[in-house]
C-alpha cells in the first residue's frame, strides 16, 4: 500500500487509485495505414520491467484524473509524478 | 491446585482473585493475571498436545508468541470455537474452556502415537513421496491424512463477536514496550512528536519488568524498579498513545502497518457483551522504531522435545512474573550466560537447581560468578546426550564434549530432574524489519541476522538490532533514537548502568550424542515435527536452496512460522553443505507475525455491510409486490413477480405473454446513464461507437456498439441527442462504471483537444419502461397533451414532457421489439410515475415484469446482451451485426482490429440461433455444441449463450456461438448432456417478428 502524490489532490492512499499500464504509448493517428504487425505492436506489446517503469495511474476514487508515475517495480519507490502530456522529468 | 508450585511473594499476579477454568474437561484454578500456560504449569500440567506427525507428547515450551507446542482449542461451544490459539498468550478468565489439539482420543492416550515407533518409516516429505501413487487414490488418502493430522477444529457458526477496523496516523510508531521501546517513545513524545507505542503483552516493560538481579542495575536500583518509574512517566506524556495487548501483524511498504488490538479476550465472559472483541489498526506512520526484542533459541539435541523441556528465559518469567515453578528439581542446559539468570532466580525462589550444563569450556562473567557463589553446580564443556521420561521428563544424560565439539567423551552422568531449561542464545526479532523489505546481514560472532538496509524511514533498536547487554541496549537505543528523530534529548544522559557482560561464546547447531546420529531424534521444528535428520536427508536428496529445504521438510511452515526453528535449520544446512550462514540467506518472513482472526480483518464489513447494495428508486414497490430479486453488479433488480405460489418458470411465462399481448412494465433505472455535453460531443461519439453520429437529428435516438481497441464488443446502448451539443448515453447495467472510466481515459489521454464533458447521471434518473400493443394508450392517459402519433413521435425518437409539472424525458425505444416507451424522470419522482403507469394500465392488465422476462423477450428478437452473448472475444461481425459498422468513418475505437488476420478468419465463433427438434426441450446455457456424436474426442464447435422457452412462439429458443456459424444455417447439430443428446438446428438469430411490425403496432 503505497502513497501517491496526485498532481491535482496531493498525497493519498494507493487504494484510491487504479493502475493503467505502461505510459507513453500513443494511439496511432492513422491506424488504417498500419500493417497487422505495426498495429499489434501498439495493441499488445507492453514492457514488464523489474526496476524503473513509466506507468499511467488514475485517481479513480478522487478527482478521476489520469497522470503518469515513474515507479521502481522492485520496491514501489516512486521517482516522479507528472501530468498527462508533460514530458517525463527523468529518463 | 498444587499449592507448592506457587511462590507467594509475587507482585504481578493477584493471588487473592481465584479464577476457575477448564482444560480438557477438567476444572482447574488459577489467578487473575495468569496466562492459560502459567495456570496449567501451576497445576503441574505440562503435557498439552501431541506432535503433528509422530504424535509425541508435547508440553509448554515458551511464554509468548513463539510457543510451538501449547496450541489449544478455545471455547466450549463447538459452533463458536477458536482453534490454534497459543496457551501462552491466552489471559486467564472466569469460564475459560480450552482443550488439546491433534490428539485422539485424548492427550494422555493418543492412538496416533504409534507413528512414533514407525518414525524411521516416516522421513521428510513422506507424504509427498508415498501418496503420489496411484494418483486417483489421493481422495482416499486425503481423508485419512486430514483426520489424523487436523490442527484444531473450525467453528461452524457465524462469528457473533464484533470486530472493528480503524485508521491511525502518527509521527512515530514504536513497536515493542521493552526497555528500548519505552525510552524511544519517551524521547519522541517529549519532542512534540505524535507518538504511538504498542506492545502485545498486557503491560509494558518487557523482561526488564521482572529483572531483579544484582548484575543488572540502573542508577543503583534494580532495573525492574527503574523501568517501573519510566512507565509511570510515559503514561503522563501528552503526545503519547499507549496500546497494550496490541500486536503488530504486518509491516508494509511506505510505513503502512497493521496492528491487532485485543479488547475483550481477557475479560470474564459476562463482561464482554456488546463490546468490540478485536480492532485492526491501519497505521500510517511517518517514522517507525522497531524495538521488538529477541527470542531465546532452543538447543538441538537428542530427544529435546519432551514435556518439561522449556526455554530457560521462559522458566525465569514463570517464576519471576507469574510466581510459578516449572518444576521442583530443575536442570539447565545452555551455550550462553542467560541460563544463569534463570538459575539465580530459581535459587532465590527456593527451587532446587540441579546443575547447569554448559557447552562452553569455562567462563567467568559477573553472572556466572554470582551463580557459582550461590553454590550452583556447573558441568563445563558438556552436553545433554539424551533425555528420559515419556509424558514428562524425569532425567537427563550428560557427557563431556570433545575438543572440536563434534562428539562426546568420557563417562555418562545421569541426572534426575522434573524440568529442563534450555538456552541456545538469542535471535533478534527481525520479522517486521524483513516484512517491510529490509535486508539482513549476518553477524558471525554470535550467529545472528541483523537489520542492515531499509528503504523506509525506520530503525531497529535494542536486542532486535543485536544489542544484548543492558548497558549497550540503553546507550545505543538512546543514541539511535535521537539521531533518527533528529532531536537531542538528554533524559538518559549520565545513566549509570551495571551489566554482566557475556565474555565467551560458543555455538553448536546440532549437539552430538553417544548414539549414532541416525538413531537420534533432535527436533528442529516442534510443531511440524521435523528433525535434524530430515534436513540432512533433504540435503542428501539434492535440495540446496533453503526455501526448498523448508518446503520439503516443512521446517518453519507451521502456525508459528518457524520462530524457534529457522536459525537451527539454517545452521545445519550451512554446516552440512559447507557454506557460510551469511551466504545462505534466510527464508522469507511473511505477514502476519502472529495469526489474525478473519473477524479482525473484515471488521464491520460483514453481512449486509460486506458489499454496497444499490436499490432503484422504485425498489420499495417491487418489495411490496413480493418480487424475487437478482444481483446485477451491486444492483438489486426485480427478477420476476410470482403470484399465487408460481415458480419462476410460470411467472416468467405469464409476464412474457402479457407484455406482448397487452402491456408490460419494467424498472430500467439501473441502466447506466452518461450525460455528454460539449461542442465536440458528436465527434466524440463518432470515435467511441462503431456507427456514425454526426447526422443524428436532435430529438432522435440511436443504438450504438462500443468496441475495445482489440475489436471486441465491449458495451452497447441507446444514445439520444437532446440538443445540438447535448447527448444522453445509456450503457448496460453492469458496464456503466467501466464505460465512463474508459471514455474519460480517452478524453484525458488521447483526445484532450476535444471539448466534451462527461457526467454520470445513473442515480439521478429513474427509468420506467412500458411496452406492448397498449403502451401507447397508457402513456396517453398519463401525458394527454403529448402527440404520440407515429409521425410526431416515431420509433427511436425522444420528447421532453411534463407529468404534473415535473419535467421528464420520454424515449420511444424498445428492447423487446414491442411498441415501447421509456420515461426518464428525477429519481425522487420515479416511484410515483411508476404507480401512475400501473394505475393507468390496469384496464389493459399491465403486468410488471423482471429481468428474466426482459431477457426472454429480447432473445425472441435476437437482441444480444453484452456480457451474456458476448464474452470479450466477439467482434460485431461475429455477432452478425456488420450493419452497425460505419464504412465511411476513418477511425473509431477498435476499427483497425476488425481486419487483423485473426478477426477476419472465417471459422471464428459466430452468433446464431438454435432450435431444438423437440420444441419442449430447453437447452442449458453454457452447454457445448458438436457436429457428431460417435467420435472421441470430439471438437467443441461452440456453446449455448442464452436459452428460454418462448410462450409467444410456444417453443424453446436459444442463442449460441458456433464456429463458422453464419454458413451453417439449417445444419443439424448436437448438444450432448449428461444423460442424453439433444438434437438442434442452427437458425437465424431473430425468432419473432422478423419484419419489426410490432414496433409500430
Amino acid at each position: 500500500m503505497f502513497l501517491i502524490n496526485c498532481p491535482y489532490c496531493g498525497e493519498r492512499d494507493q487504494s484510491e487509485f487504479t493502475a493503467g499500464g505502461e505510459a507513453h504509448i500513443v494511439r496511432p493517428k492513422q491506424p488504417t495505414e498500419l500493417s497487422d504487425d505495426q498495429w499489434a505492436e501498439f495493441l499488445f506489446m507492453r514492457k514488464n520491467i523489474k526496476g524503473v517503469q513509466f506507468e499511467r495511474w488514475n485517481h479513480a476514487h478522487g478527482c478521476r484524473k489520469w497522470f503518469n508515475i515513474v515507479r521502481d517495480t522492485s520496491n514501489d519507490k516512486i521517482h516522479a509524478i507528472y501530468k498527462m502530456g508533460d514530458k517525463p522529468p527523468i529518463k | 491446585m498444587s499449592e507448592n508450585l506457587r511462590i507467594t511473594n509475587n507482585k504481578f499476579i493477584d493471588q487473592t482473585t481465584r479464577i476457575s477454568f477448564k482444560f480438557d474437561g477438567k476444572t482447574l484454578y488459577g489467578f487473575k493475571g495468569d496466562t492459560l500456560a502459567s495456570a496449567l504449569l501451576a497445576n503441574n500440567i505440562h503435557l498439552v498436545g501431541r506432535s503433528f506427525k509422530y504424535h509425541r507428547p508435547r508440553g509448554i515450551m515458551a511464554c509468548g508468541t513463539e510457543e510451538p507446542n501449547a496450541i489449544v482449542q478455545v471455547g466450549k461451544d463447538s459452533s463458536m470455537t477458536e482453534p490454534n490459539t497459543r496457551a501462552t498468550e491466552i489471559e486467564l478468565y472466569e469460564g475459560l474452556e480450552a482443550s488439546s489439539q491433534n490428539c485422539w482420543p485424548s492427550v494422555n492416550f493418543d492412538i496416533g502415537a504409534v507413528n512414533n515407533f514407525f518414525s524411521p518409516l516416516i522421513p521428510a516429505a513422506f507424504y509427498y513421496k508415498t501418496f503420489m501413487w496411484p494418483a486417483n487414490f489421493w481422495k482416499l488418502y486425503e481423508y485419512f491424512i486430514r483426520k489424523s493430522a487436523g490442527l484444531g477444529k473450525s467453528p461452524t457458526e457465524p462469528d457473533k463477536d464484533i470486530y472493528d477496523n480503524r485508521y491511525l496516523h502518527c509521527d512515530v510508531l514504536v513497536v515493542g514496550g521493552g526497555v528500548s521501546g519505552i525510552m524511544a517513545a519517551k524521547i519522541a513524545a517529549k519532542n512534540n512528536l505524535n507518538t504511538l507505542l504498542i506492545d502485545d503483552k498486557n503491560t509494558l516493560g518487557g523482561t526488564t519488568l521482572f529483572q531483579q538481579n544484582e548484575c543488572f542495575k540502573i542508577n543503583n536500583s534494580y532495573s525492574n524498579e527503574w523501568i517501573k518509574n519510566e512507565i509511570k512517566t510515559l503514561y503522563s506524556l501528552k503526545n503519547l498513545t499507549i496500546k497494550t495487548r496490541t500486536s503488530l501483524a504486518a509491516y508494509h511498504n511506505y510505513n503502512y502497518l497493521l496492528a491487532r488490538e485485543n479488547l475483550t479476550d481477557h475479560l470474564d465472559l459476562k463482561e464482554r457483551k456488546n463490546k468490540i472483541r478485536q480492532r485492526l489498526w491501519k497505521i500510517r506512520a511517518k517514522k517507525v522504531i522497531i524495538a521488538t526484542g529477541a527470542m531465546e533459541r532452543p538447543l538441538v539435541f537428542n530427544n529435546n522435545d519432551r514435556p518439561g523441556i522449556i526455554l530457560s528465559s521462559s522458566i525465569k518469567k514463570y517464576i519471576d512474573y507469574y510466581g510459578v515453578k516449572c518444576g521442583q528439581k530443575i536442570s539447565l542446559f545452555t551455550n550462553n550466560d542467560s541460563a544463569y539468570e534463570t538459575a539465580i532466580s530459581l535459587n532465590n525462589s527456593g527451587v532446587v537447581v540441579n546443575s547447569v550444563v554448559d557447552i562452553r569450556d569455562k567462563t567467568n562473567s559477573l553472572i556466572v560468578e554470582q551463580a557459582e557463589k550461590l553454590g550452583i553446580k556447573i558441568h563445563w564443556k558438556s552436553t545433554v546426550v539424551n533425555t528420559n521420561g515419556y509424558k514428562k521428563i524425569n532425567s537427563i544424560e550428560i557427557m563431556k564434549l570433545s575438543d572440536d565439539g563434534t562428539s562426546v567423551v568420557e563417562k555418562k552422568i545421569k541426572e534426575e530432574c522434573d524440568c529442563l531449561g534450555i538456552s541456545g542464545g538469542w535471535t533478534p526479532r527481525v520479522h517486521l524489519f524483513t516484512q517491510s523489505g529490509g535486508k539482513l546481514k549476518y553477524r558471525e560472532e554470535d550467529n545472528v541476522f541483523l537489520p542492515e538496509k531499509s528503504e523506509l524511514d525506520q530503525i531497529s533498536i535494542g536486542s532486535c538490532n543485536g544489542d544484548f547487554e543492558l548497558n549497550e541496549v540503553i546507550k545505543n537505543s538512546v543514541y539511535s533514537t535521537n539521531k533518527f528523530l533528529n532531536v537531542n534529548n538528554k533524559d538518559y544522559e549520565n545513566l549509570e548502568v551495571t551489566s554482566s557482560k557475556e565474555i565467551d561464546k560458543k555455538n553448536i547447531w546440532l549437539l552430538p550424542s553417544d548414539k549414532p546420529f541416525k538413531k537420534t531424534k533432535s527436533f528442529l521444528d516442534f510443531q511440524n515435527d521435523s528433525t535434524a535428520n530430515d534436513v540432512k536427508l533433504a540435503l542428501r536428496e539434492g535440495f540446496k536452496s533453503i526455501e526448498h529445504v523448508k518446503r520439503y521438510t516443512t521446517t518453519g511452515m507451521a502456525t508459528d512460522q518457524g520462530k524457534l526453528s529457522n536459525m537451527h535449520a539454517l545452521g545445519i544446512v550451512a554446516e552440512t553443505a559447507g557454506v557460510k550462514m551469511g551466504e545462505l540467506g534466510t527464508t522469507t518472513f511473511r505477514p502476519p507475525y502472529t495469526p489474525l482472526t478473519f473477524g479482525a480483518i473484515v471488521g464491520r464489513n460483514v453481512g449486509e455491510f460486506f458489499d454496497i447494495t444499490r436499490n432503484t428508486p422504485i425498489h420499495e414497490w417491487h418489495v411490496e409486490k413480493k418480487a424475487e430479486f437478482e444481483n446485477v453488479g451491486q444492483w438489486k433488480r426485480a427478477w420476476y413477480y410470482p403470484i399465487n405460489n408460481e415458480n419462476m418458470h410460470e411467472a416468467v411465462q405469464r409476464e412474457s405473454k402479457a407484455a406482448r399481448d397487452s402491456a408490460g412494465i419494467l424498472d430500467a433505472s439501473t441502466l447506466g446513464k452518461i450525460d455528454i455535453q460539449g461542442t465536440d460531443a458528436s465527434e466524440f461519439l463518432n470515435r467511441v461507437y462503431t456507427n456514425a453520429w454526426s447526422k443524428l437529428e436532435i430529438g432522435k435516438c440511436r443504438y450504438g456498439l462500443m468496441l475495445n481497441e482489440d475489436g471486441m464488443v465491449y458495451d452497447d446502448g441507446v444514445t439520444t441527442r437532446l440538443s445540438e451539443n447535448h447527448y444522453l448515453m445509456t450503457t448496460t447495467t453492469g458496464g456503466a462504471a467501466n464505460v465512463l472510466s474508459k471514455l474519460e481515459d480517452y478524453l484525458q489521454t488521447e483526445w484532450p483537444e476535444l471539448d466534451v464533458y462527461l457526467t454520470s447521471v445513473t442515480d439521478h434518473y429513474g427509468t420506467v419502461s412500458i411496452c406492448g400493443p397498449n403502451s401507447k394508450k397508457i402513456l396517453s392517459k398519463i401525458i394527454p397533451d403529448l402527440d404520440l402519433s407515429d409521425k410526431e413521435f416515431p420509433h427511436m425518437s425522444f420528447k421532453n414532457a411534463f407529468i404534473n409539472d415535473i419535467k421528464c424525458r420520454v424515449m420511444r425505444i424498445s428492447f423487446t421489439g414491442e411498441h415501447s416507451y421509456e420515461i426518464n424522470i428525477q429519481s425522487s419522482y420515479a416511484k410515483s410515475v411508476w404507480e401512475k403507469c400501473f394505475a393507468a394500465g390496469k384496464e389493459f392488465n399491465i403486468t410488471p415484469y423482471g429481468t428474466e422476462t426482459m431477457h426472454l423477450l429480447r432473445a425472441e428478437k435476437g437482441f444480444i446482451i453484452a456480457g451474456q452473448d458476448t464474452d470479450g472475444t466477439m467482434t460485431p461481425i461475429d455477432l452478425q451485426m456488420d450493419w452497425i459498422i460505419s464504412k465511411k468513418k476513418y477511425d473509431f475505437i477498435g476499427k483497425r482490429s476488425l481486419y487483423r488476420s485473426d478477426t477476419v478468419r472465417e471459422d471464428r465463433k459466430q452468433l446464431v440461433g438454435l432450435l431444438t427438434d423437440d420444441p419442449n426441450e430447453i437447452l442449458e446455457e453454457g452447454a457445448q455444441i458438436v457436429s457428431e456424436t460417435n467420435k472421441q474426442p470430439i471438437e467443441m464447435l461452440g456453446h449455448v449463450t442464452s436459452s428460454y422457452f418462448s410462450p409467444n412462439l410456444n417453443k424453446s429458443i436459444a442463442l449460441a456461438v458456433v464456429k463458422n456459424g453464419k454458413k451453417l444455417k439449417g445444419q443439424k447439430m448436437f448438444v450432448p448432456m449428461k444423460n442424453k443428446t439433444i438434437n438442434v438446428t442452427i437458425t437465424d438469430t431473430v425468432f419473432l417478428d422478423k419484419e419489426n411490425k410490432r414496433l409500430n403496432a
Side-chain angles (χ1 to χ4, degrees):
Chain A
M1 282 294 214
F2 36 101
L3 292 171
I4 296 174
N5 195 7
C6 169
Y8 304 93
C9 307
E11 200 167 64
R12 295 289 192 279
D13 192 277
Q14 184 197 342
S15 58
E16 292 185 15
F17 298 83
T18 53
E22 193 181 333
H24 303 297
I25 293 178
V26 182
R27 187 174 188 274
K29 287 271 175 277
Q30 292 157 325
T32 44
E33 280 157 38
L34 300 182
S35 68
D36 267 14
D37 284 350
Q38 287 168 321
W39 180 245
E41 186 68 31
F42 157 74
L43 199 55
F44 301 121
M45 298 307 174
R46 297 293 182 272
K47 291 190 197 108
N48 188 12
I49 300 165
K50 182 181 179 184
V52 176
Q53 187 161 281
F54 292 73
E55 302 173 332
R56 291 157 18 99
W57 282 76
N58 179 234
H59 196 182
H61 300 284
C63 63
R64 294 191 65 84
K65 284 281 195 185
W66 283 91
F67 53 90
N68 294 317
I69 285 184
V70 186
R71 181 177 68 106
D72 188 328
T73 56
S74 68
N75 57 16
D76 284 339
K77 214 174 200 169
I78 294 173
H79 294 291
I81 295 180
Y82 52 102
K83 292 180 180 176
M84 278 295 159
D86 288 358
K87 281 230 166 70
I90 46 177
K91 284 199 171 168
Chain B
M1 186 183 317
S2 319
E3 290 296 337
N4 57 355
L5 287 176
R6 284 275 182 187
I7 57 166
T8 44
N9 60 339
N10 177 286
K11 287 169 282 189
F12 303 101
I13 303 301
D14 175 9
Q15 296 202 8
T16 58
T17 313
R18 214 167 76 138
I19 287 178
S20 77
F21 67 101
K22 271 188 180 175
F23 184 71
D24 280 340
K26 200 172 152 195
T27 302
L28 302 164
Y29 298 94
F31 293 125
K32 197 164 179 60
D34 264 328
T35 60
L36 176 59
S38 69
L40 287 171
L41 289 171
N43 283 284
N44 201 18
I45 294 172
H46 283 254
L47 174 61
V48 288
R50 292 278 174 160
S51 72
F52 186 68
K53 203 156 78 180
Y54 307 124
H55 291 249
R56 281 167 70 107
R58 289 282 162 80
I60 295 160
M61 210 184 150
C63 60
T65 54
E66 63 271 37
E67 173 60 46
N69 292 338
I71 53 171
V72 298
Q73 185 98 30
V74 177
K76 58 178 168 187
D77 183 353
S78 69
S79 61
M80 297 291 294
T81 178
E82 185 168 347
N84 299 339
T85 10
R86 287 159 301 282
T88 50
E89 291 193 299
I90 301 168
E91 293 183 49
L92 207 63
Y93 55 85
E94 189 65 46
L96 167 67
E97 291 199 19
S99 54
S100 317
Q101 297 184 171
N102 197 30
C103 52
W104 185 81
S106 81
V107 70
N108 270 302
F109 176 73
D110 182 342
I111 286 174
V114 292
N115 281 2
N116 191 30
F117 299 106
F118 296 134
S119 63
L121 304 175
I122 313 179
F126 169 73
Y127 295 101
Y128 294 146
K129 287 171 182 166
T130 311
F131 298 113
M132 288 299 290
W133 186 91
N136 54 357
F137 266 42
W138 172 247
K139 268 189 218 159
L140 208 75
Y141 295 141
E142 194 187 14
Y143 174 78
F144 286 104
I145 292 171
R146 293 236 184 269
K147 195 173 155 72
S148 56
L151 277 173
K153 290 187 194 80
S154 302
T156 53
E157 296 277 309
D159 194 339
K160 282 178 195 143
D161 285 317
I162 309 166
Y163 299 86
D164 196 33
N165 285 178
R166 270 179 77 178
Y167 290 93
L168 194 149
H169 296 259
C170 59
D171 293 326
V172 182
L173 168 68
V174 183
V175 187
V179 61
S180 40
I182 284 174
M183 295 190 300
K186 185 164 146 190
I187 293 172
K190 278 195 142 185
N191 283 282
N192 263 336
L193 294 163
N194 170 16
T195 307
L196 172 68
L197 170 65
I198 64 168
D199 194 281
D200 59 355
K201 300 279 185 305
N202 57 6
T203 159
L204 297 180
T207 53
T208 312
L209 195 63
F210 49 89
Q211 182 66 288
Q212 191 165 341
N213 187 305
E214 291 293 334
C215 297
F216 304 98
K217 290 184 128 180
I218 301 169
N219 281 350
N220 265 329
S221 43
Y222 287 125
S223 51
N224 64 333
E225 283 161 17
W226 180 83
I227 207 156
K228 254 190 328 206
N229 283 324
E230 283 294 303
I231 294 170
K232 214 188 261 172
T233 323
L234 276 193
Y235 277 98
S236 67
L237 293 177
K238 266 194 205 138
N239 294 318
L240 180 65
T241 310
I242 299 170
K243 294 205 171 293
T244 52
R245 295 190 178 98
T246 303
S247 146
L248 203 100
Y251 187 166
H252 296 296
N253 214 340
Y254 285 66
N255 280 351
Y256 179 67
L257 304 100
L258 301 175
R260 182 211 49 221
E261 184 180 16
N262 272 334
L263 295 158
T264 61
D265 279 356
H266 60 289
L267 300 177
D268 283 356
L269 290 174
K270 55 180 185 296
E271 289 174 49
R272 299 184 188 184
K273 227 181 159 203
N274 299 327
K275 286 183 185 151
I276 293 164
R277 183 188 172 205
Q278 294 177 341
R279 177 176 286 136
L280 191 72
W281 289 95
K282 301 179 174 182
I283 304 166
R284 195 66 89 161
K286 289 198 181 113
K287 285 168 178 283
V288 176
I289 297 175
I290 305 174
T292 45
M295 57 195 162
E296 197 167 26
R297 288 177 197 166
L299 287 164
V300 180
F301 56 100
N302 187 25
N303 285 321
N304 60 342
D305 68 326
R306 299 198 189 283
I309 300 180
I310 304 177
L311 293 174
S312 148
S313 62
S314 298
I315 295 178
K316 183 174 186 299
K317 183 165 185 182
Y318 285 121
I319 191 84
D320 286 347
Y321 185 84
Y322 297 106
V324 173
K325 305 172 192 174
C326 291
Q328 303 281 24
K329 289 182 296 173
I330 299 181
S331 300
L332 294 161
F333 181 21
T334 188
N335 69 2
N336 69 95
D337 276 3
S338 39
Y340 293 88
E341 293 176 33
T342 308
I344 292 161
S345 282
L346 288 170
N347 190 80
N348 291 347
S349 293
V351 180
V352 175
V353 178
N354 295 321
S355 70
V356 179
V357 181
D358 196 323
I359 72 165
R360 294 174 296 180
D361 295 356
K362 171 91 177 99
T363 188
N364 47 10
S365 59
L366 217 55
I367 189 109
V368 174
E369 279 174 3
Q370 197 195 356
E372 279 178 322
K373 244 184 257 168
L374 291 169
I376 292 167
K377 193 167 132 199
I378 304 169
H379 298 280
W380 293 110
K381 203 186 172 189
S382 298
T383 182
V384 175
V385 294
N386 193 18
T387 66
N388 301 300
Y390 185 55
K391 285 178 195 165
K392 171 111 182 266
I393 189 167
N394 56 33
S395 68
I396 56 172
E397 295 167 23
I398 307 163
M399 286 178 86
K400 283 256 182 249
L401 279 166
S402 64
D403 287 338
D404 64 358
T406 57
S407 59
V408 284
V409 293
E410 293 181 25
K411 238 180 35 216
K412 190 150 62 175
I413 308 166
K414 198 164 176 174
E415 188 173 280
E416 286 188 6
C417 64
D418 57 1
C419 173
L420 173 67
I422 53 173
S423 176
W426 294 84
T427 301
R429 291 184 203 260
V430 293
H431 305 69
L432 296 177
F433 174 80
T434 54
Q435 272 185 26
S436 74
K439 297 279 174 285
L440 299 172
K441 64 183 174 208
Y442 187 66
R443 188 167 74 191
E444 225 157 300
E445 62 178 282
D446 55 354
N447 301 297
V448 290
F449 283 100
L450 298 174
E452 185 182 27
K453 223 172 62 195
S454 168
E455 304 274 348
L456 307 182
D457 213 354
Q458 62 159 5
I459 49 164
S460 295
I461 56 168
S463 53
C464 71
N465 195 36
D467 288 333
F468 296 125
E469 308 290 350
L470 183 63
N471 56 338
E472 281 170 19
V473 166
I474 292 179
K475 197 180 88 194
N476 294 342
S477 296
V478 172
Y479 173 79
S480 304
T481 305
N482 271 316
K483 200 175 144 204
F484 178 59
L485 301 178
N486 200 17
V487 296
N488 189 15
N489 182 286
K490 296 203 187 314
D491 282 4
Y492 299 106
E493 262 186 6
N494 309 319
L495 273 190
E496 208 179 294
V497 184
T498 322
S499 181
S500 166
K501 193 167 166 53
E502 187 167 277
I503 302 163
D504 296 296
K505 297 182 193 303
K506 185 175 179 183
N507 185 54
I508 301 172
W509 292 117
L510 175 58
L511 290 152
S513 169
D514 54 331
K515 279 193 191 162
F517 172 66
K518 281 187 180 171
K519 298 219 162 150
T520 61
K521 271 224 173 66
S522 308
F523 285 89
L524 283 173
D525 186 320
F526 295 89
Q527 201 175 107
N528 264 357
D529 248 3
S530 61
T531 63
N533 258 322
D534 293 331
V535 169
K536 290 204 168 192
L537 175 70
L539 290 167
R540 280 203 304 280
E541 290 183 351
F543 288 90
K544 287 199 180 83
S545 151
I546 184 66
E547 293 283 1
H548 292 157
V549 171
K550 169 181 161 177
R551 279 158 184 79
Y552 192 58
T553 61
T554 71
T555 304
M557 289 179 68
T559 61
D560 62 343
Q561 290 273 291
K563 288 189 179 75
L564 293 183
S565 58
N566 274 343
M567 285 308 292
H568 289 91
L570 283 170
I572 291 168
V573 170
E575 223 164 58
T576 314
V579 289
K580 281 190 166 177
M581 284 281 275
E583 292 161 14
L584 200 61
T586 60
T587 55
T588 315
F589 301 107
R590 290 194 174 81
Y593 177 66
T594 47
L596 280 177
T597 56
F598 285 117
I601 295 168
V602 298
R604 305 271 176 167
N605 302 322
V606 290
E608 60 179 314
F609 301 116
F610 181 71
D611 194 14
I612 293 165
T613 53
R614 299 172 79 182
N615 294 339
T616 76
I618 309 163
H619 186 79
E620 285 309 311
W621 192 93
H622 310 316
V623 173
E624 278 164 33
K625 287 289 181 297
K626 306 232 162 27
E628 291 292 329
F629 288 89
E630 175 182 36
N631 293 328
V632 183
Q634 291 170 325
W635 288 102
K636 295 272 170 210
R637 293 199 73 177
W639 194 10
Y640 58 95
Y641 301 79
I643 44 177
N644 302 334
N645 299 324
E646 275 176 331
N647 62 24
M648 174 162 145
H649 177 75
E650 289 160 351
V652 169
Q653 295 292 302
R654 172 180 51 75
E655 291 170 14
S656 303
K657 199 134 181 40
R660 292 231 189 270
D661 289 350
S662 179
I665 183 166
L666 171 83
D667 181 359
S669 306
T670 63
L671 283 187
K673 295 178 268 294
I674 300 170
D675 185 276
I676 302 174
Q677 300 191 42
T679 50
D680 294 317
S682 304
E683 170 62 16
F684 180 66
L685 290 174
N686 264 335
R687 297 187 191 186
V688 300
Y689 278 131
T690 60
N691 45 350
W693 290 79
S694 315
K695 285 181 188 154
L696 183 70
E697 284 170 45
I698 294 167
K700 288 280 155 57
C701 315
R702 183 165 288 174
Y703 173 78
L705 203 57
M706 206 180 282
L707 309 185
N708 269 327
E709 222 42 287
D710 62 6
M712 304 304 157
V713 171
Y714 180 71
D715 204 79
D716 65 348
V718 170
T719 294
T720 305
R721 191 169 197 172
L722 301 172
S723 66
E724 176 67 25
N725 297 321
H726 190 185
Y727 290 84
L728 182 69
M729 173 188 278
T730 60
T731 72
T732 58
T733 298
N738 291 335
V739 169
L740 180 69
S741 295
K742 183 184 158 100
L743 299 184
E744 282 178 334
D745 186 351
Y746 274 93
L747 264 185
Q748 286 179 37
T749 64
E750 298 293 352
W751 310 318
E753 70 281 4
L754 291 187
D755 176 42
V756 176
Y757 303 89
L758 307 172
T759 311
S760 166
V761 292
T762 305
D763 295 281
H764 305 61
Y765 295 98
T767 306
V768 179
S769 169
I770 46 177
C771 80
N774 287 316
S775 56
K776 193 178 186 174
K777 290 178 200 150
I778 296 166
L779 191 66
S780 68
K781 280 174 77 179
I782 298 164
I783 318 176
D785 49 353
L786 194 61
D787 184 349
L788 296 180
S789 66
D790 285 346
K791 186 166 168 281
E792 269 307 302
F793 197 177
H795 181 57
M796 294 308 263
S797 63
F798 125 90
K799 294 276 181 233
N800 281 314
F802 287 87
I803 301 177
N804 288 3
D805 295 338
I806 309 301
K807 194 187 153 196
C808 60
R809 292 172 180 153
V810 184
M811 279 86 170
R812 187 170 163 194
I813 51 181
S814 176
F815 190 42
T816 58
E818 291 300 315
H819 192 126
S820 166
Y821 300 92
E822 282 187 9
I823 306 168
N824 282 279
I825 191 152
Q826 275 183 57
S827 289
S828 46
Y829 299 107
K831 189 166 168 251
S832 79
V833 167
W834 173 280
E835 282 161 350
K836 257 184 203 306
C837 292
F838 196 68
K842 211 148 207 177
E843 59 176 300
F844 306 104
N845 183 32
I846 192 167
T847 302
Y849 65 93
T851 49
E852 192 61 24
T853 294
M854 174 185 84
H855 288 174
L856 191 161
L857 295 173
R858 63 87 207 178
E860 289 177 336
K861 287 292 296 173
F863 296 149
I864 60 153
I865 291 186
Q868 177 165 341
D869 303 297
T870 71
D871 61 0
T873 66
M874 303 293 287
T875 68
I877 301 146
D878 297 338
L879 292 171
Q880 308 212 39
M881 290 171 78
D882 312 46
W883 54 269
I884 204 169
I885 303 165
S886 162
K887 301 280 183 301
K888 288 182 193 152
K889 282 202 294 184
Y890 180 70
D891 191 16
F892 55 82
I893 296 172
K895 172 168 175 152
R896 174 61 186 84
S897 291
L898 294 180
Y899 53 95
R900 289 178 56 237
S901 58
D902 184 57
T903 43
V904 295
R905 266 191 306 120
E906 291 213 332
D907 62 341
R908 291 179 61 83
K909 283 185 182 167
Q910 292 148 358
L911 188 78
V912 294
L914 279 188
L915 285 175
T916 47
D917 286 4
D918 172 0
N920 290 317
E921 184 87 68
I922 304 169
L923 294 169
E924 237 174 73
E925 285 173 2
Q928 302 286 318
I929 298 162
V930 299
S931 59
E932 50 185 314
T933 49
N934 44 14
K935 207 175 98 186
Q936 266 188 333
I938 183 73
E939 193 195 1
M940 299 297 183
L941 294 178
H943 64 273
V944 179
T945 58
S946 298
S947 171
Y948 308 90
F949 185 84
S950 160
N952 301 303
L953 297 159
N954 205 21
K955 65 181 176 190
S956 149
I957 54 164
L959 296 173
V961 291
V962 177
K963 266 190 184 174
N964 206 14
K966 274 186 214 178
K967 292 201 173 146
L968 295 175
K969 215 171 282 179
Q971 292 260 355
K972 296 274 180 200
M973 290 282 165
F974 305 98
V975 177
M977 299 304 292
K978 206 171 177 185
N979 304 317
K980 60 183 171 188
T981 297
I982 302 167
N983 297 342
V984 295
T985 307
I986 293 184
T987 67
D988 187 41
T989 52
V990 185
F991 300 99
L992 183 122
D993 183 29
K994 286 187 207 277
E995 306 80 26
N996 290 330
K997 280 183 186 156
R998 304 181 70 93
L999 280 175
N1000 296 314

